[in-house]
Amino acid sequence: MSDRAPAGQFIDAAIGLLRRVRDEEADSIAAAGTLLADTVAGGGRLFAFGAGHSSLAAQDLVYRAGGLALMNLLAVPGVVGVDVMPAPLGSALERVDGLASAVLDSSPLRAGDALLIISLSGRNALPVEMAMNARALGVKVIGVTSVAYASETKSRHASGTYLKDHCDLVLDSKIAVGDAELAHDDIPAPFAPASTVVTSALLQAVMATAATTLADRGIEPPLLRSGNVDGGHDWNARVMERYRDRIFYRH
């Protein structure tokens, strides 16, 4: 580790990754935002899924001030975050074959919808099968992953494939395998993960693109306002009433 304070090193590393995403993924971000705008304009619904810590970025899109009201969380019991006890159970469930099929069969997803699947490694059975099965239903799938894992790790799905292999669009977060930005001579393991910061920013860039794309077409994007500003609750109530058949987190 250099003489620079670790806090500054980590922030610099995150900034570097954000710059790479901005510059190298610009076309993919534009395409993803357009896909979501097309889905909204066509009457479709929006969903986001992530397992473990990848769920944090998915949840950041749902019922979010400044976000699209139509974004719904596709929840899988036991893998949405680290609230499951014991916590390692969530990681184990990501490797269970057939779980994605059961979830999709009981979900409101249908042809014409769009699904964001967030998985840093993209190697486990759950995100791979989620993408495969969703596309078979006629759902457009946007995968958010670190493409590096496909060349540096072994897939845990029977097909030997990764999330990136089953998507209509792929957004590469550029996160290094292992998700740790810092090292220290006296610390045996690398530390300071940046995947949540970078993935959340990447997805909000997609949301911003979707909103402005709709506006450019003369369609008011269904955005939520903060409930902590005057008039926010009334605004959100009107949006939710208008789009109630495409919002599932109220039920």
Side-chain angles (χ1 to χ4, degrees):
M1 180 175 279
S2 72
D3 293 334
R4 178 134 192 218
Q9 290 184 54
F10 173 75
I11 292 172
D12 285 347
I15 290 170
L17 286 163
L18 290 169
R19 284 176 173 156
R20 285 191 63 196
V21 165
R22 179 195 63 194
D23 297 339
E24 298 173 23
E25 295 299 297
D27 291 343
S28 296
I29 290 170
T34 299
L35 189 156
L36 295 186
D38 290 344
T39 302
V40 172
R45 295 88 57 81
L46 309 179
F47 295 84
F49 165 75
H53 287 93
S54 290
S55 180
L56 298 176
Q59 293 179 57
D60 189 51
L61 301 176
V62 180
Y63 188 52
R64 190 73 167 85
L68 292 171
L70 306 191
M71 185 61 71
N72 301 278
L73 185 68
L74 183 64
V76 178
V79 304
V80 183
V82 292
D83 57 335
V84 62
M85 291 295 176
L89 175 61
S91 298
L93 289 173
E94 291 184 61
R95 301 192 289 270
V96 173
D97 294 333
L99 181 56
S101 295
V103 170
L104 288 174
D105 287 347
S106 61
S107 79
L109 268 168
R110 67 188 184 195
D113 292 344
L115 172 62
L116 287 155
I117 299 178
I118 304 148
S119 173
L120 180 61
S121 72
R123 68 191 293 230
N124 289 309
L126 182 55
V128 172
E129 292 182 357
M130 189 75 76
M132 294 172 66
N133 295 344
R135 291 184 84 192
L137 292 173
V139 174
K140 294 292 186 182
V141 174
I142 300 171
V144 186
T145 187
S146 172
V147 172
Y149 277 82
S151 59
E152 299 183 36
T153 67
K154 182 179 179 180
S155 171
R156 288 178 173 147
H157 188 255
S159 66
T161 60
Y162 297 77
L163 169 62
K164 73 176 186 63
D165 300 316
H166 304 284
C167 300
D168 295 280
L169 287 169
V170 175
L171 299 171
D172 184 1
S173 64
K174 315 294 182 182
I175 300 296
V177 173
D179 192 17
E181 295 300 318
L182 302 184
H184 191 286
D185 291 342
D186 297 323
I187 301 177
F191 56 101
S195 61
T196 302
V197 173
V198 175
T199 302
S200 293
L202 177 56
L203 286 169
Q204 291 298 346
V206 172
M207 297 303 114
T209 303
T212 54
T213 299
L214 286 168
D216 289 344
R217 297 178 185 178
I219 301 170
E220 181 182 335
L223 295 170
L224 295 172
R225 290 180 180 268
S226 171
N228 295 313
V229 299
D230 292 343
H233 286 300
D234 291 340
W235 172 280
N236 292 342
R238 289 192 295 270
V239 171
M240 290 185 184
E241 176 60 25
R242 179 177 178 182
Y243 294 98
R244 60 181 177 177
D245 60 332
R246 298 157 76 179
I247 295 173
F248 299 94
Y249 49 80
R250 299 180 65 198
H251 309 299

